[in-house]
Amino acid sequence: MQPLAQPTYNVEEAAAFLKVHPQTVRDFIHAGKIAAVKVGRSFVIRYSALDAFLTEKENEAVQASASSRSELCLNNKNAQDRASIKETALGILTSGQQAAKELDELLAPKTAQKPKHYLSN
């Protein structure tokens, strides 16, 4: 029989690893946030499942931090700088609404003029 490629944890060991209460680990398992297999009356959790859970939490924290930092910057800059800062922070080159607004601004002078033979009612 081959040795396990990954260490496995029960709920109590996973709770100690994550530094939370065992019931919190059970809640995460029932919510589908941590992948686990029920063997008999206890759960078995692979290290990779705990690592994936921690990575997901780290990514959420980074996204929340980037979003809050961009909002702080937006409050301190003028309106034109806001769009470029938000685009840079969120990795968006140009939004659909911004592109439509720029197109409207380009077309406005041409459509504002009335044709020569225009009769108003």
Side-chain angles (χ1 to χ4, degrees):
M1 184 171 188
Q2 293 180 339
L4 293 175
Q6 294 183 35
T8 58
Y9 299 90
N10 62 24
V11 172
E12 289 74 22
E13 292 168 338
F17 180 80
L18 296 174
K19 296 179 176 55
V20 296
H21 194 273
Q23 186 57 45
T24 305
V25 173
R26 287 186 197 93
D27 292 341
F28 287 149
I29 292 169
H30 290 296
K33 294 180 180 180
I34 296 178
V37 177
K38 192 159 190 176
V39 179
R41 299 182 74 181
S42 62
F43 287 103
V44 176
I45 307 161
R46 289 187 179 186
Y47 171 78
S48 60
L50 294 175
D51 189 47
F53 173 75
L54 288 175
T55 302
E56 180 183 337
K57 289 295 181 186
E58 287 172 353
N59 288 340
E60 288 174 6
V62 168
Q63 291 295 326
S65 175
S67 178
S68 66
R69 280 186 303 199
S70 67
E71 291 300 321
L72 285 174
C73 289
L74 291 176
N75 292 333
N76 296 331
K77 298 288 182 180
N78 64 29
Q80 192 171 13
D81 289 343
R82 289 182 195 173
S84 64
I85 291 171
K86 190 168 186 178
E87 289 167 4
T88 303
L90 299 177
I92 300 170
L93 294 176
T94 177
S95 69
Q97 290 177 341
Q98 183 180 0
K101 180 182 172 186
E102 289 177 9
L103 184 60
D104 288 342
E105 288 173 0
L106 290 172
L107 294 175
K110 293 180 181 180
T111 56
Q113 298 172 355
K114 306 278 188 224
K116 284 184 176 180
H117 303 293
Y118 178 75
L119 298 174
S120 62
N121 291 337

